[in-house]
Amino acid sequence: RPLAIVFAIDVSGSITANEINRVREALQSFSTQLIHHNVVYAVVTFGMRVKTLQKFTSDPKKLDSALERIAQDPPTGLSTHTYDAVDDAIRLLVRQAPKTRERRLLRRAVLVVTDGFPVGDTVSAPTVIERANASDVSVFVVTLPSYSRSLASASQAPLPTPLDVSGLAELTGGRNVYADQSDYGPLFRALAEEVSSAYVLAFYPPEEKRRDGKVHTIKVEGPRGLTLRQSRSEYKAGGN
């Protein structure tokens, strides 16, 4: 299935220059992993404000150029507009990404790379989750090691961040992972495989529930031992 992916990169003052360089290389590994897939990418950065570095393109040179332009905010920056960035990414996907390629619907995804501590957003997490699900957008989150620099030792299990607790990834059918190795490349390549290996299931509700205006729950079940993740667990029927 073709893909439309927005890279949303945290460049706030809490992210180190070394982390940004490693993220840049890891994102290039991500795109290389999907070199034979039909993919368009956009790139946004966020910190004190959200900035679009690259609109949707399938040109590897334009993508690499955008990644090279990722620049860190001053250390004095006090904001990390994570939810605003994801909200902007959803709008990009809805308004600017192609709807189809090769006569097939595109899968929409946002890959957020951050330390997991949103600050100063104008849009709330529940609103972003609602908009993502309404637009069939899955959000994947990579949490960088800087999140725990003063909170946990390297030997401890990762501590949940506010972004984890919000449910942004799991409630949109995505996944939250921790970049706890010095080389981010393998993690990003694994995420690329996951993003590109989704299925679309069509659901047709009974006639009597199609226009009742109520919220209905959907649960997809599979054989024992098979792990399933849904991008949407419910839908609201239209009214008469």
Side-chain angles (χ1 to χ4, degrees):
R1 185 182 177 189
L3 301 167
I5 299 172
V6 179
F7 293 150
I9 315 303
D10 186 346
V11 294
S12 63
S14 60
I15 304 296
T16 68
N18 179 54
E19 284 176 326
I20 288 179
N21 288 332
R22 289 157 67 189
V23 165
R24 183 183 294 116
E25 294 174 357
L27 290 172
Q28 290 169 336
S29 293
F30 182 102
S31 61
T32 300
Q33 187 71 22
L34 298 179
I35 192 70
H36 298 300
H37 285 70
N38 195 336
V39 192
V40 291
Y41 298 96
V43 181
V44 302
T45 58
F46 63 93
M48 292 182 288
R49 65 190 182 97
V50 181
K51 181 179 180 180
T52 300
L53 294 185
Q54 175 63 56
K55 295 182 179 180
F56 285 103
T57 181
S58 57
D59 186 337
K61 292 183 179 179
K62 289 185 178 180
L63 177 60
D64 286 345
S65 175
L67 295 178
E68 290 297 328
R69 295 197 305 275
I70 295 174
Q72 184 184 22
D73 273 358
T76 53
L78 300 178
S79 300
T80 307
H81 290 239
T82 311
Y83 299 123
D84 292 347
V86 177
D87 195 48
D88 282 7
I90 293 169
R91 277 198 292 270
L92 273 175
L93 286 161
V94 172
R95 298 176 182 177
Q96 298 185 20
K99 299 293 186 284
T100 62
R101 298 197 83 177
E102 298 177 350
R103 304 178 67 179
R104 292 184 293 168
L105 290 173
L106 275 73
R107 185 189 184 192
R108 298 168 172 172
V110 180
L111 177 59
V112 184
V113 185
T114 180
D115 63 2
F117 285 83
V119 179
D121 287 286
T122 60
V123 183
S124 69
T127 297
V128 174
I129 291 168
E130 181 181 354
R131 289 174 179 172
N133 285 328
S135 304
D136 291 325
V137 175
S138 295
V139 182
F140 294 80
V141 178
V142 177
T143 304
L144 298 178
S146 55
Y147 76 96
S148 62
R149 187 169 293 119
S150 61
L151 299 177
S153 69
S155 61
Q156 290 178 312
L159 296 173
T161 68
L163 196 59
D164 297 337
V165 175
S166 75
L168 179 63
E170 63 181 15
L171 294 178
T172 60
R175 183 184 174 200
N176 185 73
V177 297
Y178 293 85
D180 53 6
Q181 302 295 320
S182 58
D183 183 1
Y184 299 165
L187 175 64
F188 278 72
R189 287 191 291 272
L191 274 177
E193 284 297 315
E194 183 168 340
V195 171
S196 63
S197 59
Y199 291 87
V200 178
L201 300 178
F203 172 71
Y204 299 91
E207 187 67 37
E208 64 272 14
K209 295 183 178 180
R210 293 183 183 179
R211 296 289 178 182
D212 63 7
K214 297 180 180 179
V215 175
H216 299 278
T217 299
I218 302 174
K219 184 177 181 180
V220 179
E221 297 181 339
R224 180 176 298 178
L226 178 65
T227 300
L228 298 174
R229 239 188 339 263
Q230 294 179 226
S231 61
R232 298 182 66 180
S233 59
E234 60 184 29
Y235 73 95
K236 183 175 182 180
N240 291 320

